Amino acid sequence: MIGEEVPSDQYYWAPLAQHERGSLASLDSLRKGGPPPPNWRQPELPEVIAMLGFRLDAVKSNAAAYLQHLCYRNDKVKTDVRKLKGIPVLVGLLDHPKKEVHLGACGALKNISFGRDQDNKIAIKNCDGVPALVRLLRKARDVDLTEVITGTLWNLSSHDSIKMEIVDHALHALTDEVIIPHSGWEREPNEDCKPRHIEWESVLTNTAGCLRNVSSERSEARRKLRECDGLVDALIFIVQAEIGQKDSDSKLVENCVCLLRNLSYQVHREIPQAERYQEAPPNVANNTGPHAASCFGAKKGKDEWFSRGKKPTEDPANDTVDFPKRTSPARGYELLFQPEVVRIYISLLKESKTPAILEASAGAIQNLCAGRWTYGRYIRSALRQEKALSAIADLLTSEHERVVKAASGALRNLAVDARNKELIGKHAIPNLVKNLPGGQQSSSQNFSEDTVVSILNTINEVIAENLEAAKKLRETQGIEKLVLINKSGNRSEKEVRAAALVLQTIWGYKELRKPLEKEGWKKSDFQVNLNNASRSQSSHSYDDSTLPLIDRNQKSDKKPDREEIQMSNMGSNSRSLDNNYSTLNERGDHNRTLDRSGNLGEMEPLKGTPLMQDEGQESLEEELDVLVLDEEGDQVSPPTMQKI
């Protein structure tokens, strides 16, 4: 790129890309490990940035591609590019008419936006990088360019302050230009045409990853995503197609399911006209009759549903609740709580091996079963009828804490259904107890406070008004563990309070007091001083509210940086001239897996480089409704410079 040595104070106008000396303008020899040509001098970073403004397009494209090369796995260079004002120039080149120029600029921005230096992302945002990327996306017609654009947006979406910028400027473009056209879903299916299939999987993965991140920002972002025409429909179509192809562990499925899980967060409150689905608490008195009435029929009183002396299943009608009949197919956000999506989560729970997918599926079920709303009641019943309770209970034995916590939260909300409570009490109590700290039969994992509290709350929900479950708890060393948590002095206040509530519920069963006393337990072991707020917490009904969002900076399980994924070289001899500038990631990675604890599953290597993906923010979980949060896409590997 540099024809000859020049004084350092003249680097900005050094003779560039002289046609008669084209071999010197290429980095091919360096990329191949051969000796550099005579008189070769590697350009300094200020020189490369200056070349971005050179009048020859070939020089601009070479400079942009070389910046992409320099920024690959080099955080210092990324910072220096920002300090040297290179980012605004690169953003400006996104509107350049020639593909080799705007592709190189976008590749450089993708690498600059990758990593933990948030200032780089902010710098791209501040010079209107998101609208520029969207303009380029709407013009892109090939997978190479679209993949780099969507990958850059995925990287940017991991920063909180950029999420709404992407929602406001890029949501419809990503949906209309990427998700819908390449998902295979059609707004008006033509029966005479062959069914369409998923295309451009890597691009869809980037896009779903970007939307997955922005969906965690705030209710306004989720509202816009839910109401974006065709988005939810296409996402569900994608996951169904992947399951149908026996590919339920792909990164595309993970991003789509995590996005659907976020869109199900507080869905019973945030959808339009949510009040039409709300149900009154079962213990609220109604002056008009013995049972409150609703548009879906009379509700059973609390004593009928949760009677100790009578099994709730004696009424066959209690064991089956069917979804209401529809006069037209569900569309858009209504699909989030229809049988179709419930069956998707059940399939993934039974077939997937990827921890992040299992966690997201259980978390979505937890969200849909939270709150006193009509579809929550339907879904609790549907999961029992589809025999999914055992699949969720099996997750309690997972070696991944996040999966265990998600399963525990889902079981807690499912146990609000009286029949579910009975089944969960019979089959899940042993594994719930095993995951508690202490005792002879303890999990090998040292679970965090939040997970332990979640398990304790689930146990309390299951044994309330359920004598058989309380007996099962006693038989599985549960009392020993609860008393140990309460009196050991080395557990947190939240854990002690949660364990105390379970102990109070146990002692409330007169039938268990004599057996407990025979085993050596005393009344004082079950009497714990709790404040009024803790004591008044309902033991047989979920809390319809959710906790405040966890601050992103307070997470203790931050993941370390991971290696980036190399992408194919530009200018490959196997490609046509039009594709010489491609940064297409030819990595056959649709089967790779990544769990949220940072452990990698099976993956295919590429040219000896580990195939990994960076994950930024950790997932965010609530007590009853849960969100899953941010991660980034990839960097692109250094391209081969185009000879000029």
Side-chain angles (χ1 to χ4, degrees), residues 444-619:
S444 59
Q445 301 188 68
N446 185 20
F447 288 139
S448 65
E449 174 192 81
D450 286 345
T451 302
V452 172
V453 171
S454 176
I455 293 170
L456 289 168
N457 288 339
T458 301
I459 292 174
N460 199 44
E461 180 67 52
V462 173
I463 68 172
E465 310 294 347
N466 188 349
L467 177 59
E468 295 303 316
K471 290 179 179 179
K472 180 73 71 172
L473 177 68
R474 168 176 157 261
E475 295 168 0
T476 54
Q477 296 186 343
I479 307 299
E480 175 187 347
K481 290 191 173 187
L482 291 167
V483 173
L484 185 62
I485 292 172
N486 197 258
K487 296 187 175 182
S488 65
N490 60 356
R491 310 307 302 187
S492 70
E493 181 180 354
K494 288 175 63 178
E495 291 170 311
V496 171
R497 291 181 182 280
L501 286 172
V502 182
L503 288 171
Q504 288 187 344
T505 303
I506 290 288
W507 192 252
Y509 287 103
K510 295 181 180 179
E511 302 92 333
L512 293 180
R513 291 179 185 175
K514 285 186 178 181
L516 289 170
E517 289 172 346
K518 287 182 179 180
E519 293 175 359
W521 300 109
K522 301 177 182 179
K523 181 178 180 180
S524 58
D525 293 325
F526 299 87
Q527 290 180 326
V528 185
N529 293 325
L530 298 174
N531 62 31
N532 292 333
S534 297
R535 187 179 296 111
S536 63
Q537 179 176 340
S538 174
S539 63
H540 55 260
S541 179
Y542 49 71
D543 181 3
D544 191 28
S545 64
T546 55
L547 300 176
L549 298 183
I550 299 173
D551 184 83
R552 276 84 165 162
N553 298 322
Q554 294 179 352
K555 297 184 179 68
S556 59
D557 53 346
K558 197 80 172 178
K559 303 299 185 292
D561 279 321
R562 290 181 280 148
E563 295 184 54
E564 300 83 359
I565 301 175
Q566 288 201 20
M567 303 179 77
S568 61
N569 296 333
M570 286 185 173
S572 171
N573 293 333
S574 63
R575 297 182 181 224
S576 66
L577 183 61
D578 290 340
N579 288 331
N580 279 345
Y581 298 91
S582 169
T583 53
L584 175 62
N585 182 353
E586 297 175 333
R587 58 181 182 269
D589 62 343
H590 60 280
N591 287 322
R592 62 189 170 89
T593 62
L594 172 66
D595 66 47
R596 301 310 300 262
S597 65
N599 297 326
L600 292 170
E602 293 298 320
M603 50 195 179
E604 294 185 4
L606 177 68
K607 300 181 181 178
T609 301
L611 190 59
M612 308 174 78
Q613 257 197 311
D614 183 78
E615 185 167 336
Q617 305 286 353
E618 287 302 310
S619 73

Side-chain angles (χ1 to χ4, degrees), residues 307-349:
S307 172
R308 291 185 186 174
K310 175 182 176 182
K311 289 187 177 181
T313 53
E314 288 180 15
D315 181 359
N318 290 346
D319 200 30
T320 303
V321 178
D322 293 324
F323 283 81
K325 303 297 182 182
R326 300 187 60 91
T327 57
S328 60
R331 301 289 295 268
Y333 65 84
E334 288 189 338
L335 284 169
L336 292 171
F337 44 86
Q338 297 300 321
E340 300 93 308
V341 76
V342 174
R343 293 189 187 101
I344 284 177
Y345 299 140
I346 294 173
S347 295
L348 292 174
L349 288 172

Side-chain angles (χ1 to χ4, degrees), residues 220-373:
E220 178 67 10
R222 293 191 296 276
R223 181 187 67 79
K224 291 184 176 181
L225 264 67
R226 290 189 192 107
E227 297 178 13
C228 182
D229 186 29
L231 175 59
V232 174
D233 310 71
L235 290 172
I236 291 177
F237 186 94
I238 290 172
V239 180
Q240 287 175 326
E242 292 286 272
I243 293 174
Q245 294 296 318
K246 306 299 182 183
D247 195 9
S248 58
D249 288 297
S250 68
K251 188 66 178 180
L252 175 58
V253 170
E254 178 188 328
N255 284 344
C256 288
V257 175
C258 287
L259 173 53
L260 291 170
R261 165 180 158 174
N262 280 359
L263 296 182
S264 69
Y265 178 76
Q266 298 228 6
V267 67
H268 63 290
R269 292 179 172 180
E270 294 180 354
I271 58 174
Q273 298 180 319
E275 62 278 0
R276 60 183 165 166
Y277 298 121
Q278 300 306 306
E279 295 183 336
N283 59 340
V284 173
N286 190 315
N287 295 330
T288 61
H291 305 304
S294 72
C295 59
F296 293 94
K299 275 191 278 290
K300 298 199 174 290
K302 176 182 177 183
D303 292 337
E304 285 187 65
W305 283 97
F306 298 107
S307 172
R308 291 185 186 174
K310 175 182 176 182
K311 289 187 177 181
T313 53
E314 288 180 15
D315 181 359
N318 290 346
D319 200 30
T320 303
V321 178
D322 293 324
F323 283 81
K325 303 297 182 182
R326 300 187 60 91
T327 57
S328 60
R331 301 289 295 268
Y333 65 84
E334 288 189 338
L335 284 169
L336 292 171
F337 44 86
Q338 297 300 321
E340 300 93 308
V341 76
V342 174
R343 293 189 187 101
I344 284 177
Y345 299 140
I346 294 173
S347 295
L348 292 174
L349 288 172
K350 294 179 178 179
E351 298 176 15
S352 178
K353 300 296 186 293
T354 304
I357 295 176
L358 295 173
E359 179 200 353
S361 300
I365 290 171
Q366 178 179 341
N367 286 349
L368 293 174
C369 293
R372 293 185 179 89
W373 67 309

